Amino acid sequence: MKTFAKNLRKARTRKDLTQIQLAERLHVNNATISKWESSNYEPNLEQLVSISKELNVSIDWLLGNEDKFDQAIDEYILSDDDLTLIKQLASRLSK
């Protein structure tokens, strides 16, 4: 789950949240966040859903299961309309 640890840290820092702040929002101990980010502990499914919602990222992205295109887009903060237009353009260019 090293990909999860890396992506959790990336998403948390992108939101300018400390481990303590994220822990408060997820109703867990800040040591839990630290364990997740150091790959010493894995969240359960309910926690994974909460993390995804709080950090506004998909569970697939957190786990490293999205394709490279989706990961690249997720590096930037774009509106849903922007994402739709980019995906439509990419689809047309790949034909």
Side-chain angles (χ1 to χ4, degrees):
M1 277 277 247
K2 290 185 180 186
T3 300
F4 168 76
K6 181 186 76 158
N7 286 347
L8 174 61
R9 182 182 303 257
K10 183 187 288 187
R12 176 183 59 78
T13 57
R14 196 174 8 173
K15 290 276 204 176
D16 292 322
L17 294 173
T18 65
Q19 288 182 346
I20 294 170
Q21 290 169 322
L22 181 58
E24 289 172 353
R25 292 180 180 198
L26 296 175
H27 308 289
V28 298
N29 187 300
N30 64 301
T32 300
I33 305 296
S34 178
K35 289 177 184 177
W36 289 341
E37 289 186 357
S38 60
S39 297
N40 292 329
Y41 187 73
E42 297 175 356
N44 63 36
L45 183 57
E46 183 179 324
Q47 291 167 326
L48 200 53
V49 170
S50 295
I51 293 165
S52 172
K53 288 180 181 179
E54 187 60 45
L55 296 177
N56 197 30
V57 294
S58 71
I59 292 172
D60 277 339
W61 182 85
L62 280 169
L63 299 178
N65 293 330
E66 289 188 354
D67 66 29
K68 293 184 186 307
F69 179 73
D70 287 336
Q71 288 177 351
I73 287 178
D74 197 50
E75 293 296 318
Y76 303 95
I77 299 173
L78 300 172
S79 72
D80 289 339
D81 289 340
D82 291 338
L83 290 174
T84 300
L85 289 173
I86 290 169
K87 286 180 181 183
Q88 288 173 350
L89 178 60
S91 175
R92 288 180 188 159
L93 291 174
S94 67
K95 291 181 180 179

